[in-house]
Amino acid sequence: MELKIRKSPMIYGTVDAPPSKSYTHRSTIIASLAKGTSTLYNPLEAEDTLASVHACQKFGAQIKKEKGKWTIEGVNGRPSTPDNVLDLKNSGTSLRILTSVAGLAEHYTILTGDKSLRSRPMQDLLDALKPLGVKAISSRMNGKPPIIVKGGLVGGKTSIAGGVSSQFISSILIAGPLSKDGVQLKIQGDFISKPYVDMTVDVMRKFNARVEFNPEERTFHVEPGEYTGRDYQVEGDYSSASYLLGAVAVVGGKLTVKNLPGDSRQGDRIILDLLEGMGATIHRGEDMVTIESDGRLHGIEADLHDSPDLLPTVAVLGALADGTTRISGVKHARFKETDRIKTCTMELSRLGVPVEEKEDGMIIKGDKIKGDTVYSHGDHRLVMAFTLIGLKTGLKIKDAEAYKVSFPGFIKTLLGLGCKLEVGENG
Ligand SMILES: O=C(O)C1=C[C@@H](OP(=O)(O)O)[C@@H](O)[C@H](O)C1
Ligand SMILES: C=C(OP(=O)(O)O)C(=O)O
C-alpha cells in the first residue's frame, strides 16, 4: 500500500491517545494466566496485541472482545499446551513474553512469526530459562525463531544480559510467580529500556504478584504465588502519541492529546522533553498533554537508552529542524522490526538529508528535503515517523500498511485533524 501525504495546514484540536500497546500486552497475558475473571478497559486492538490475544486463547484463556472492553477468564497458572504453532506475526513483545509462559505448559510449544520476527534475537532468553527448568531451543540453532519450548518451569536462580532487550527480563518476571520456587533474576551488564520492566512490575503487582528489585544485587526477586483477576484500565500510548505531537511540532498549531498520564511509567514520555528542547511549548496535565508550535524547530542531543522506539520520530524531527540533532545510547534499536538506525539513515539519505550513522545512533543535519518517496521496510514506526516529513513537504511512503501493527487509527486520526493523506491502490 502506498501512502501519499501532501503538505498540510497547521493542526488544531483535541484527540485521544490510542491505548498503550505495551500495557495491553501485559494486562492481556497476565489476566490470561490469572485465577478468575478480568475486564480490561480501553485495550489496544491492533495486529500486535491480537497476536497476544490469539496465543493466550491457544494457552486456554477465554477472551471475549467487545468495543473498548475485553473480558478474560484466566487459566489459574496452568496454561495448556497449544494445539498448533503460535504465529506471533510481527510482535516481539508477544514472542518474548510468551516464550516463558510456554515454560508453564506441560508439553512442547512452538513460537514463530513473520520474516521480521524470525530475525529477532532470542538466545539470551533461552539460555536464562535453562537454570529455571525450561528447555528452549531455536529450531535453526541461530538464536532466532522459530522457538521450541518444553514446559518444566520450576524456578530458582538465573541471570541475563540486560543490553539486548528488556523483553527478556519482562518475560521471565511475568512467568515467575507461577513457578514452584519463585525466581531470582540477576541483570548482567547494561540494562536498556528499563521503563518497560517498570511497566511489567507495575502490572504484575496490580494482579497481586510479589516482585522486588534489589539495586545493589541488580537482582529481581519474584515470590511464588498466583495472579488474581481484576478490572484494569489501559492508559494511552506515548510512543504512538509521539507522531501526533510531532505532527504539530513540524506544521505548527495547538493540539491536546488525552489519556496520557503525567505520572506514566512509559519511557517514551520523554518525547515531551525532547519536543520542548526543540522549540515547542508543552503543557503537561494530570491525564493529558497540550502542545503548541509555530512549526520551527532546532536540533537537539537525544539519549534514547530507555526509549528506543522514539528513534524514528526524533530522527525525522531532526531532519526537519534547523541545525544538528545527535541521537545516541540506542544500539538496541538495531534489533527491532528493522535495524532502525540503518533503515532511518537509508531513508533520510534518500531524501537528501545529511545523516551520519553511528553504532548506537545517528547524527542528522536538518536540511531541505530533496526527494519525494521513501520505503518503510515494513516497519510501522518508519511509516508513522516519515509521515511527519510528508505533512511538511509532501511525500509518498511505500509499503505503508505496517502502521496497523500498533496504531490502526493512525490515518483516520490525522485526517480528522485536517492532514492531507491519500491511501494509494498499491505501491
Ligand atoms: O516490553 C515492551 O513492551 C517493549 C520493549 C521495547 O523493546 P526492548 O526492551 O527490546 O528495547 C520496545 O522496543 C518495544 O516496542 C516494546
Ligand atoms: C519493537 C517494537 O515492538 P515489538 O518489540 O513488540 O515488536 C515497537 O513497537 O517498535
Side-chain angles (χ1 to χ4, degrees):
M1 177 194 107
E2 179 181 280
L3 181 61
K4 186 175 177 185
I5 308 109
R6 285 184 288 120
K7 195 172 175 182
S8 294
M10 294 177 83
I11 291 169
Y12 295 91
T14 298
V15 293
D16 288 320
S20 163
K21 169 163 76 75
S22 294
Y23 271 118
T24 300
H25 279 304
R26 284 154 174 79
S27 52
T28 298
I29 293 169
I30 290 173
S32 294
L33 292 169
K35 180 178 183 180
T37 304
S38 300
T39 302
L40 309 188
Y41 294 98
N42 189 41
L44 174 71
E45 184 141 353
E47 290 177 6
D48 266 16
T49 52
L50 289 176
S52 284
V53 167
H54 297 146
C56 288
Q57 289 171 323
K58 287 280 184 192
F59 279 121
Q62 305 294 317
I63 302 180
K64 181 184 172 195
K65 295 197 288 91
E66 298 164 274
K67 186 164 172 44
K69 184 173 93 167
W70 292 351
T71 306
I72 299 178
E73 189 65 40
V75 297
N76 190 14
R78 292 186 299 280
S80 47
T81 301
D83 67 353
N84 201 345
V85 172
L86 300 182
D87 179 0
L88 302 165
K89 311 283 185 179
N90 191 243
S91 176
T93 308
S94 308
L95 168 70
R96 273 74 178 267
I97 296 177
L98 294 172
T99 292
S100 295
V101 169
L104 294 164
E106 186 181 1
H107 302 303
Y108 288 84
T109 301
I110 301 166
L111 303 97
T112 190
D114 66 13
K115 187 166 186 278
S116 164
L117 198 68
R118 283 180 277 118
S119 73
R120 308 281 291 268
M122 288 291 286
Q123 196 58 49
D124 289 318
L125 175 58
L126 307 186
D127 293 345
L129 282 169
K130 202 168 178 184
L132 305 180
V134 177
K135 183 166 172 38
I137 59 167
S138 157
S139 65
R140 295 175 288 171
M141 301 304 283
N142 65 355
K144 296 170 182 173
I147 300 296
I148 303 163
V149 180
K150 169 73 176 76
L153 181 71
V154 172
K157 285 186 179 179
T158 190
S159 64
I160 194 161
V164 173
S165 174
S166 73
Q167 294 172 358
F168 299 154
I169 296 161
S170 291
S171 174
I172 291 174
L173 294 182
I174 286 172
L178 304 176
S179 64
K180 182 169 69 65
D181 301 336
V183 166
Q184 293 180 51
L185 175 61
K186 184 176 180 58
I187 312 302
Q188 309 280 11
D190 191 14
F191 188 169
I192 52 98
S193 300
K194 187 175 178 300
Y196 288 101
V197 178
D198 296 341
M199 294 160 72
T200 297
V201 169
D202 174 33
V203 181
M204 287 174 67
R205 286 174 174 163
K206 287 198 165 77
F207 282 79
N208 211 24
R210 293 189 303 282
V211 46
E212 297 297 335
F213 180 62
N214 179 319
E216 285 72 43
E217 300 169 349
R218 303 190 81 214
T219 298
F220 287 92
H221 295 267
V222 184
E223 297 291 318
E226 65 181 19
Y227 291 118
T228 44
R230 56 162 289 163
D231 289 359
Y232 182 84
Q233 179 79 29
V234 178
E235 67 184 53
D237 192 307
Y238 271 93
S239 314
S240 296
S242 77
Y243 310 112
L244 306 177
L245 298 165
V248 176
V250 299
V251 301
K254 182 175 182 179
L255 178 71
T256 294
V257 184
K258 299 194 299 187
N259 197 21
L260 290 176
D263 60 354
S264 173
R265 291 174 175 79
Q266 296 177 60
D268 285 7
R269 74 183 186 289
I270 196 175
I271 189 64
L272 305 183
D273 305 329
L274 295 173
L275 287 167
E276 221 162 31
M278 296 184 86
T281 301
I282 300 284
H283 309 283
R284 293 168 176 80
E286 194 174 316
D287 198 27
M288 64 181 75
V289 171
T290 298
I291 181 170
E292 284 188 88
S293 170
D294 60 6
R296 287 178 300 168
L297 301 173
H298 50 78
I300 193 167
E301 307 267 334
D303 176 352
L304 298 182
H305 179 269
D306 289 341
S307 49
D309 291 355
L310 291 179
L311 179 116
T313 311
V314 178
V316 160
L317 292 171
L320 294 169
D322 296 331
T324 300
T325 291
R326 285 180 175 78
I327 299 172
S328 62
V330 69
K331 181 181 178 183
H332 47 299
R334 293 183 181 277
F335 312 133
K336 308 291 179 190
E337 281 81 344
T338 59
D339 171 341
R340 287 176 174 160
I341 295 176
K342 187 170 293 300
T343 50
C344 285
T345 300
M346 191 187 297
E347 295 312 311
L348 286 176
S349 303
R350 193 189 303 276
L351 295 177
V353 176
V355 190
E356 184 185 345
E357 179 177 345
K358 312 296 276 185
E359 189 199 8
D360 72 334
M362 335 165 47
I363 299 173
I364 302 131
K365 287 192 174 18
D367 205 335
K368 187 168 167 28
I369 303 294
K370 299 180 181 67
D372 67 358
T373 302
V374 294
Y375 295 80
S376 76
H377 302 262
D379 190 324
H380 59 122
R381 297 202 184 281
L382 268 74
V383 176
M384 296 186 281
F386 278 84
T387 296
L388 305 189
I389 291 182
L391 297 178
K392 189 86 174 177
T393 66
L395 191 68
K396 283 183 282 190
I397 302 176
K398 299 285 190 182
D399 305 325
E401 61 279 5
Y403 70 91
K404 294 170 188 168
V405 156
S406 63
F407 191 172
F410 175 69
I411 291 179
K412 187 178 174 196
T413 302
L414 287 182
L415 286 172
L417 292 171
C419 297
K420 300 187 179 311
L421 283 71
E422 282 168 48
V423 174
E425 286 309 306
N426 47 42

